[in-house]
Amino acid sequence: MHYRKLGSTEAEVSEIGFGAWGIGGKQWQGGKDDESIRALKRAFELGVNFVDTALAYGDGHSERLVGQAVKSAFQRIFVATKIPPKNGVWPATSDTPISEVFPYDYIIQSTEESLTNLGVEQIYLQQFHVWTDAWTHTEEWRRAIEDLRKSGKVRYFGISISEHDPDSALEAVRTGAFAAVQVIYNIFDQTAEKNLFPLCQQVKVGVLARVPLDEGGLTGTITEDTKFEPGEFREMYFKGDRKRQVVEHVEALKRDLGNAPGTLPEIALRFCLSHRAVTTVIPGMRRVATVESSCRAAAAGMLDDKTLAILKRHAWNRNFYE
Ligand SMILES: NC(=O)c1ccc[n+]([C@@H]2O[C@H](COP(=O)([O-])OP(=O)(O)OC[C@H]3O[C@@H](n4cnc5c(N)ncnc54)[C@H](OP(=O)(O)O)[C@@H]3O)[C@@H](O)[C@H]2O)c1
């Protein structure tokens, strides 16, 4: 495992972080808690020291599993979690006042809940689970994060940026209040490279590259016949003829890659790590086999320029979250 410095913090975090949405259950069906715990422990054995979870993932279930696994780790694990929007609306809209989404007492109370679920005294990185720059120059969130920092309950703060809208938190990044941002970055959605990444490099803010496998689209395992459990998030994400579109794009990608070494998911993870603004890539993982594959990808290092030039051409502008 290789490590990169998280923005201007003291943390050296593993290039592969453990994305812990799936292990929360509910929106991701089919996981099993004992398997999730095994996957987390295997990740820690292989040098993973960063986990991204959220209070909203299975109503605290993901945080509780992460807390359980972290207790048995031999090295320090940096845990990032998130404050869900009080109004339950993803993504944020610029005409919604922050008082409806992140009022002072709610920020404090959500953090307390996460501390209890994780079973720790301090959260290393507490992120706002939605954001819009319309809120950046308001006062209450700043007072709340200052109080949480002073009390020692949170070390650093971050923002999880809205899907396919990487420019919606540029003003917030410039304030210096945040140690890291989390953003969709993968072969299909490369938009963060334009404005967000250069800014993060300039002001030394860490980048967590999320959804590196397009919710499974870039694993190469989705076919037109793939079925998801009723009510599962991916039933919506891959609805209608979207699976066919994904198959077409993946086939074209594979054709262009020819005999480039490594599996498609490994190449997809290495694509993210090949950008120097990225601190860690956080694939969602629930099984030991996927953990081992992701760690292998990081060990293989950055992609060469020829492969990167091919991948550049496969950017695909669409929003399946709608
Ligand atoms: N708004 C937000 O803040 C937000 C939104 C989405 C995601 N996130 C964060 O980002 C993380 C990653 O996103 P995601 O989980 O939604 O999607 P993702 O990482 O793009 O895709 C997850 C899927 O990829 C599979 N996978 C992972 N590593 C693999 C490998 N090496 N080889 C083959 N398959 C592999 C997983 O399989 P298995 O499940 O079978 O292991 C799972 O089906 C989340 O877990 C969460 O921490 C944050």
Side-chain angles (χ1 to χ4, degrees):
M1 183 59 64
H2 304 126
Y3 297 82
R4 297 183 185 185
K5 196 163 148 48
L6 181 71
S8 52
T9 74
E10 65 288 342
E12 293 282 336
V13 301
S14 49
E15 288 184 340
I16 297 292
F18 194 106
W21 183 17
I23 64 168
K26 274 197 158 181
Q27 290 140 321
W28 285 73
Q29 297 290 314
K32 294 190 189 71
D33 287 353
D34 53 348
E35 203 171 12
S36 302
I37 290 283
R38 275 202 302 280
L40 278 160
K41 288 185 175 173
R42 182 68 181 134
F44 299 158
E45 271 170 23
L46 292 173
V48 169
N49 71 355
F50 185 85
V51 181
D52 176 69
T53 180
L55 183 54
Y57 296 168
D59 299 326
H61 190 63
S62 171
E63 288 183 329
R64 286 187 284 275
L65 290 179
V66 169
Q68 199 183 320
V70 163
K71 280 198 182 64
S72 65
F74 290 107
Q75 76 275 41
R76 179 172 185 190
I77 308 295
F78 298 99
V79 176
T81 191
K82 308 186 192 82
I83 308 164
K86 187 177 182 195
N87 62 357
V89 176
W90 273 269
T93 55
S94 56
D95 55 356
T96 308
I98 191 168
S99 56
E100 287 178 20
V101 187
F102 294 128
Y104 178 94
D105 288 346
Y106 175 78
I107 295 173
I108 307 290
Q109 178 210 319
S110 292
T111 303
E112 298 282 2
E113 269 183 59
S114 291
L115 284 167
T116 305
N117 288 337
L118 290 163
V120 294
E121 304 275 303
Q122 184 182 66
I123 291 165
Y124 191 74
L125 182 69
Q126 175 66 299
Q127 305 159 99
F128 289 98
H129 209 148
V130 297
W131 194 261
T132 156
D133 265 339
W135 302 336
T136 295
H137 297 293
T138 60
E139 181 270 335
E140 216 170 295
W141 67 266
R142 271 194 176 261
R143 198 157 49 81
I145 73 170
E146 220 25 71
D147 288 352
L148 284 168
R149 212 181 337 244
K150 277 194 207 131
S151 66
K153 290 180 179 171
V154 176
R155 185 83 178 93
Y156 294 107
F157 288 87
I159 287 177
S160 191
I161 297 179
S162 295
E163 46 260 20
H164 308 305
D165 195 7
D167 292 353
S168 60
L170 296 176
E171 226 14 70
V173 169
R174 287 193 193 98
T175 61
F178 300 104
V181 289
Q182 173 173 153
V183 66
I184 294 184
Y185 182 53
N186 58 45
I187 294 169
F188 291 151
D189 184 350
Q190 308 181 16
T191 51
E193 288 179 7
K194 190 164 179 246
N195 299 318
L196 182 68
F197 283 3
L199 177 64
C200 288
Q201 285 177 296
Q202 188 197 331
V203 298
K204 293 196 170 48
V205 162
V207 171
L208 321 179
R210 84 163 184 256
V211 194
L213 299 169
D214 183 37
E215 308 291 7
L218 282 163
T219 61
T221 56
I222 304 276
T223 69
E224 289 191 49
D225 301 324
T226 302
K227 296 250 180 316
F228 298 103
E229 309 251 345
E232 200 191 330
F233 152 73
R234 293 197 295 176
E235 195 192 32
M236 182 284 292
Y237 190 83
F238 293 111
K239 71 185 174 197
D241 82 333
R242 291 174 175 182
K243 289 191 284 257
R244 184 192 55 74
Q245 295 179 45
V246 168
V247 170
E248 274 176 17
H249 279 262
V250 167
E251 285 307 318
L253 178 56
K254 282 188 187 158
R255 253 193 324 273
D256 274 5
L257 281 168
N259 54 6
T263 64
L264 180 60
E266 288 170 13
I267 289 174
L269 296 175
R270 291 175 68 197
F271 166 80
C272 299
L273 290 171
S274 298
H275 200 295
R276 297 224 168 253
V278 171
T279 314
T280 180
V281 57
I282 52 168
M285 301 185 287
R286 296 181 292 181
R287 296 177 300 115
V288 166
T290 45
V291 165
E292 290 176 345
S293 156
S294 299
C295 291
R296 254 196 320 275
M302 293 189 181
L303 294 168
D304 57 58
D305 289 346
K306 189 171 152 244
T307 309
L308 284 173
I310 294 170
L311 299 181
K312 279 259 134 251
R313 300 201 295 268
H314 287 271
W316 178 19
N317 186 9
R318 89 292 194 230
N319 188 354
F320 281 5
Y321 294 93
E322 290 178 347

